[in-house]
Structures are given as C-alpha cells and as structure tokens.
Amino acid sequence: YIAFSTDSGATFTDTIEAFPPADVPVNSESGNGVEATFNVSNIIGNEDGVVIQFIFDGITGNPGANGDSYYFWMIDDIEIREVPDNELRFTSYNGAPPQDLIYRDTISDEGPYGIMHEDQIMPMRFDGNLFNYGNNTQTNVSLEVEILDENGAVVSTLNTPACANLAQGDTCTWQTLTTGWWTPTGPGEYRLVFKALSDSISSANATTADTVLQYVSESMFGMDRNILSNVTSANLLAVAARYPMVNEDPDSANGSIYIDGVQTYISTTADSTADIEIAIYDTAGFPNSSPTLVAISVSTLSGADLGTVKTFDLRNNDQPLTLPKATYFIQASFFPNATDGAVRIGNDASFDAGGTSLMLYNDGNWYGGFLNSNAYESPWLRVMVHNDTASSGVGLKDIGKNSFSVYPN
C-alpha cells in the first residue's frame, strides 16, 4: 500500500493499493522493473506538508492454508510529476487483456499462436482497451495497429471505430476498439504495433504504443513468440496446447497433414534423468472424457538436454507421422525420476494468451491457465511440421546441430 499525509506526517488519512492481491497470485511474482503510476491529484494536489509512506502487508487475505500472502517487495525510483494533459494508456477491462489478438473469430478455442505455420495461416484481428489518464477529455479515441515486416516496412495499417468523448478516468473498451481482419501473406517475422490515438494524439506522435511479435514459419507451429521469459513451475505435471491443423499439406492428395515431432525448451533446473511423454489427442472429450490417443513418444532426458531446445521424434522409420487434417491437443507429461526432481519447460510470458488453447495439469486437475497471471501463458511446445513430400521418401532435410557428435573432443 501507499499512504499519504498532508500534515507533515502527523496523520495518514488516505491509502491506495499499489499491487492488489489479484495482480500477484500466490507463489507468483510481479514483473521485474514494473512502473506503477497513480493519479493522486485529489489527495496531495496543492498541499505543502506531504509525506508519503510505503506499507508492506505480507498477509493480504485470511491467514491460513489458502490465505493470500506476499513474501517481500522492492521499490525504487520514486518520482512525483504532473499529470499530463493528453495521455492514453492500455488497460485490462472486465477480464479482457489490454491488447488482444483474435484468430478466426474463435476467441475461447484458438490462439493466440505466436508461431503460425504457413499451411495453417489464419486471419487475425486486433482489439484493446484505452484508459484516459490525462487531464483533458479525449475526443475520437481509437486504436491503430501498424503491421511491419522484418525489414521495418509497413505491410498494413488497421484502425478501429472511435469513442467520441472519453473523460479523465474513463475507459474506451474492446467492444468499440476492434479492427477489421488481416491475413499474413507468407513466412516471415511481423511486428504488430498497437497505438493509442485521439484528436490530440496522432499516429506520428503517439506516446502509448506496444509491440507484439507474430511469426509465420515454414516448419513450426507454436504458441510462443520466440521469447524465453521464464520456466514452468515444478508443480506442473503436464501441459497441453490446442493446434488447429485444419488445412491439408500441399503435398497431400487425401486431406492429410505430416508431423516430424515436437520441440520444447528444457530448463537448466530440470531433473536430468526425467522422462517426458509427448502425446497427440483428438480434441473430442479432452481432457477429462477419455479422448482418443493419436500418437505418443517417450524420451528420457540427459544432462546434455538441460538448457536446450529438445526434439521429440514422432516419425516412423524416418517417415513423418501422417494424420487427417483436424484440430489436436499436443500434450507433454512430466515424470521426474530423481528424488524431489521436477521438469520445467520454457514459457513465453510476453503476451496474455488466455482462452482454453492452453491446459495445465496439477494436483490431479486440469486448468485452463491461471487467473490474473501470465506466468505460464505460452509454453514452448512447438509442433514440427514436415516440409517435404511425405509419400516419396526422397528429399533433402537439414540436419540439426545436435544430431551429430565429433570424437575425440
């Protein structure tokens, strides 16, 4: 909490929450270097005896087995400044993230996919929520999304309808701020730049902007955006992600897709003797109603796997796994062998994924992510899609750098 006195510290009559409990779940943490700002004009504006007090409360809920609790906090760089006349900020709103990516208009079932495979390119649209932090009422508040290619050239610019008048402290929500559709044209790296605009804030001088990466790959399909933010908890026993592979491979004549395997980043703190099982399930009945198992691969880790991206091979005699085009769940299950061992895989927390594309298994239950937390939003669980003609058995395939060894060393 932050408390304020206007009588030189004799009394502290106003208190605000710096980090409400919902912002930092139990056994989680806030981001490092987060800047929190609060408009306190109505508390200390025009006062000459101001003292600010910072209060750490380790127990924010009912103490006990399920009570909320914090361990510590660290604060730095305290600054008092004037509220700007014109400033818009991205904000969450009634459970909706500050910015969102919508794939094929199926908000709860699919996406976001930071690495989209070129055979499974999906149309996308974008939305957001904008909060008026400035002193002035903002007119014609809108969201602009500028799409840049890997060379920084503008590929497309999308704009939303506008909120005509937005008073200080009010929010213009995604229900208004939603763009039209955009479809990537092919493989590459795209930068999606979200900008907050109004009559007072143009695209050229927008001070509130946020960039989201989007990849289209010739060989991978994954939820992450090639950012290793953290690793998953030791308590997680399985992770599953939903992948709509609904377009047939161009080399197929019978509506098939071809898969070589699955890749994931293995933490340096993982049990080096653990087993990891990669399984592919039909979505019907997943996870609790005996879904149909489509394919499975089990591999035992070694010390050389820690801190690397490990490949789990699903091929048979060097031929890719052939499946009918459909939507599948790819599941990674963890089986530590060392005492108190755990398996942790890489996670990308750079974007709030949400939805039910991701499922986490812990304590005998499956969860659709964690509420108010991006700690395990987009695990590195990438489907390796086969590129060559599956039926011929002929073609060139790049050999990964971990596929061979040279002796003596």
Side-chain angles (χ1 to χ4, degrees), residues 32-65:
N32 184 27
V34 171
E35 180 183 279
T37 57
F38 307 92
N39 188 337
V40 292
S41 302
N42 63 326
I43 302 175
I44 62 174
N46 296 317
E47 297 289 342
D48 62 1
V50 174
V51 177
I52 301 176
Q53 183 183 77
F54 296 89
I55 305 168
F56 170 71
D57 183 357
I59 300 178
T60 60
N62 294 323

Side-chain angles (χ1 to χ4, degrees), residues 100-103 110-115 214 222-225 351-355 357 378:
D100 206 358
L101 278 62
I102 303 170
Y103 295 72
E110 295 173 1
Y113 300 99
I115 305 174
Q214 176 67 57
M223 298 186 70
D224 70 273
R225 299 177 190 279
F351 190 80
D352 187 357
S357 293
S378 301

Side-chain angles (χ1 to χ4, degrees), residues 1-2 16-20 23 36 38 54 73:
Y1 297 93
I2 304 173
I16 59 176
E17 283 186 307
F19 277 99
D23 290 351
F38 307 92
F54 296 89
W73 72 341

Side-chain angles (χ1 to χ4, degrees), residues 75-125:
I75 55 176
D76 200 359
D77 300 328
I78 301 162
E79 180 181 347
I80 299 175
R81 58 194 180 204
E82 287 186 291
V83 174
D85 288 334
N86 305 300
E87 183 171 325
L88 295 167
R89 296 184 174 185
F90 291 107
T91 183
S92 56
Y93 180 81
N94 285 350
Q99 304 100 3
D100 206 358
L101 278 62
I102 303 170
Y103 295 72
R104 295 199 310 193
D105 216 16
T106 52
I107 298 175
S108 63
D109 290 336
E110 295 173 1
Y113 300 99
I115 305 174
M116 195 185 303
H117 188 260
E118 63 175 342
D119 293 345
Q120 310 298 336
I121 289 178
M122 292 173 271
M124 308 167 61
R125 62 179 180 172

Side-chain angles (χ1 to χ4, degrees), residues 39-42 83-85 87-88 131-138 165-171:
N39 188 337
V40 292
S41 302
N42 63 326
V83 174
D85 288 334
E87 183 171 325
L88 295 167
F131 170 78
N132 184 4
Y133 183 80
N135 279 321
N136 296 339
T137 295
Q138 297 296 305
N165 293 283
L166 191 66
Q168 182 192 49
D170 287 350
T171 299

